[in-house]
Amino acid sequence: MSDLYVAVVCSSNMNRSMEAHAFLVKKGFNVKSYGTGEKVKLPGASADRPNCYEFGVLYDEIYNDLMEKDKNYYTQNGLLHMLDRNRRIKPCPEKFQVCNERFDVIITCEERVYDQVIEWLGSRRSIYNQPVHVVNIDIQDNHEEATIGAFLISDMVTKMAQSDDLDNDIDELLHEFESKCHRPILNCIMFY
C-alpha cells in the first residue's frame, strides 16, 4: 500500500471518478472521489430532462428513484449497474468544494473540472500549507471511456507511488505518460 493520498474528481461523482476510485482501491491506494458540479446529473428519458440530485443523496436513494421511474430503461442504459457499483464503494456522491482533506495528488477527468478545482484551491486560505499536484486527463463521460480512463489513472498513480521524490519527478513522469497514452495531460502544483 502506498502512502500517496489521491482524490479523483469528475463532475457528478458518478461515473468516471467512481470507476477510477474502484480501480485504485483494488490496487491498495488511499483514495477518495468527488464531483464539482452544482448538482449530480444523470441522463433522463430525454436529453433535455436529466435526473438531478443534490450531492449527499444516497446512491441507494438514486437507484430506487430510477427503478421507480423506469427500471427497464435505466437497466438498459447501464445507470442501475453503475449505481450498484457506486453504493458498494461509498454511501453517496460528494462535492469536492466542501471537503477539507489534504491530498498529495488530485486527478481530474476533464479540463472544466480541472479549472474548477484550481479555482477553488486558489480562492481559499491554505489550511495545511502543503503542495498538492493537480493533474488532468480528459475522459469522455460514458461507460467505456470511464473504464479506459480508470486503467490510465491507475497506471499513472502507480508510477507516482513508485517515485522517491514526486515533486521533482512529476514533470518527467507525466511527459512519459502523455507520450504513452496519447492524451494531453495538464498539471500544476497548488498549496492546500
Side-chain angles (χ1 to χ4, degrees):
M1 178 129 166
S2 170
D3 290 339
L4 205 60
Y5 195 23
V6 179
V8 184
V9 188
C10 68
S11 186
S12 289
N13 196 202
M14 279 287 167
N15 185 25
R16 298 165 293 178
S17 61
M18 288 300 291
E19 186 76 6
H21 186 150
F23 271 63
L24 292 170
V25 164
K26 285 178 187 170
K27 289 212 165 195
F29 287 104
N30 192 2
V31 61
K32 295 263 183 125
S33 59
Y34 300 93
T36 58
E38 282 300 312
K39 294 192 180 290
V40 174
K41 290 184 183 175
L42 293 172
S46 64
D48 62 333
R49 297 190 51 190
N51 292 290
C52 296
Y53 304 92
E54 297 293 329
F55 281 93
V57 172
L58 297 175
Y59 288 121
D60 279 336
E61 291 176 34
I62 298 169
Y63 183 94
N64 292 335
D65 183 50
L66 296 182
M67 283 277 286
E68 285 178 26
K69 286 180 178 176
D70 192 336
K71 179 182 177 183
N72 288 336
Y73 176 74
Y74 293 113
T75 298
Q76 195 171 37
N77 75 1
L79 286 183
L80 293 178
H81 175 74
M82 179 185 72
L83 286 161
D84 191 46
R85 173 207 60 206
N86 293 357
R87 65 187 182 176
R88 284 182 269 135
I89 296 169
K90 65 182 197 175
C92 62
E94 297 174 82
K95 189 170 178 89
F96 178 75
Q97 294 91 328
V98 297
C99 93
N100 284 317
E101 297 194 47
R102 193 195 80 72
F103 299 98
D104 299 302
V105 178
I106 299 170
I107 299 173
T108 61
C109 300
E110 69 178 273
E111 190 170 346
R112 181 178 55 86
V113 172
Y114 175 81
D115 292 341
Q116 290 171 325
V117 167
I118 290 170
E119 180 182 329
W120 182 76
L121 289 171
S123 71
R124 58 181 282 201
R125 188 173 55 69
S126 176
I127 298 170
Y128 303 102
N129 202 29
Q130 295 287 318
V132 60
H133 297 277
V134 184
V135 178
N136 182 74
I137 180 168
D138 281 327
I139 302 166
Q140 290 179 22
D141 195 2
N142 63 55
H143 180 70
E144 184 178 340
E145 275 290 309
T147 301
I148 292 166
F151 275 109
L152 292 172
I153 289 169
S154 178
D155 190 34
M156 181 192 307
V157 171
T158 299
K159 288 180 179 9
M160 289 176 177
Q162 292 167 346
S163 170
D164 292 328
D165 187 355
L166 186 57
D167 292 342
N168 285 327
D169 295 346
I170 194 159
D171 286 335
E172 184 179 337
L173 187 148
L174 291 176
H175 180 71
E176 288 174 13
F177 187 80
E178 189 175 43
S179 297
K180 177 184 161 195
C181 74
H182 306 291
R183 291 181 189 225
I185 304 290
L186 301 173
N187 75 297
C188 71
I189 296 178
M190 300 291 292
F191 277 83
Y192 218 150

